[in-house]
Amino acid sequence: MTLGYGHLEPVADGLAVHLVRAGHTPPLLLDDQHAVGTVEAAGGLLGVGIPPGLKARRLTLRPGASLLLYTDGITECRAAGAEQYGETRLAKALAAAPPRSTAAGIVRIVAVDVRGFAGGRDVEDDQAAHVITAGEPAPRRG
């Protein structure tokens, strides 16, 4: 079984994310400078007899940065031939999001790109995406 778990905490410079990943695909980070990178967070599958080695990874999303968690149904989606959508294509779709996109806007961009890659065909595997986007900090009351 796979798992992605996060605890969110507002901090002075954005949004702290405490992330635990168990066998799930590695999340992608669209940072506040609009660069895309993979978030390394250790953690094996749950329930397969091997201790999963879960360890929380803490990262801070600065205002405008987004974290994309997704299922392998997206990256393993196939076009008419045997070619898979893949992580590189997913990272490019994420990078194509306009700066300061909303979480819903990023999910829409990814979904449209995956659907276009698949040629509008129904996919065989489940596809899910979850985006967390840090907004501007609330003004401090004083």
Side-chain angles (χ1 to χ4, degrees):
M1 177 195 291
T2 63
L3 166 92
Y5 170 82
H7 172 79
L8 308 177
E9 174 187 1
V11 292
D13 56 346
L15 183 65
V17 179
H18 305 269
L19 177 68
V20 175
R21 184 178 79 82
H24 210 271
T25 53
L28 294 177
L29 173 66
L30 178 63
D31 70 18
D32 58 332
Q33 301 301 310
H34 217 67
V36 175
T38 301
V39 176
E40 298 299 330
L45 289 168
L46 298 175
V48 294
I50 303 168
L54 302 179
K55 184 176 180 183
R57 163 78 194 272
R58 184 186 188 278
L59 60 140
T60 301
L61 299 180
R62 306 223 184 283
S66 295
L67 184 67
L68 170 66
L69 296 104
Y70 58 94
T71 62
D72 62 3
I74 291 175
T75 53
E76 293 176 359
C77 175
R78 295 186 185 274
E83 182 185 8
Q84 290 186 342
Y85 184 77
E87 292 174 10
T88 301
R89 197 176 314 256
L90 178 58
K92 285 180 183 177
L94 182 58
R100 303 285 185 177
S101 291
T102 64
I106 291 171
V107 169
R108 194 170 22 263
I109 287 167
V110 169
V112 166
D113 197 60
V114 171
R115 194 174 312 118
F117 174 80
R121 296 178 304 113
D122 289 336
V123 296
E124 297 175 12
D125 199 355
D126 67 312
Q127 294 184 351
H130 181 82
V131 175
I132 300 165
T133 300
E136 296 295 329
R140 296 181 70 156
R141 295 180 188 208

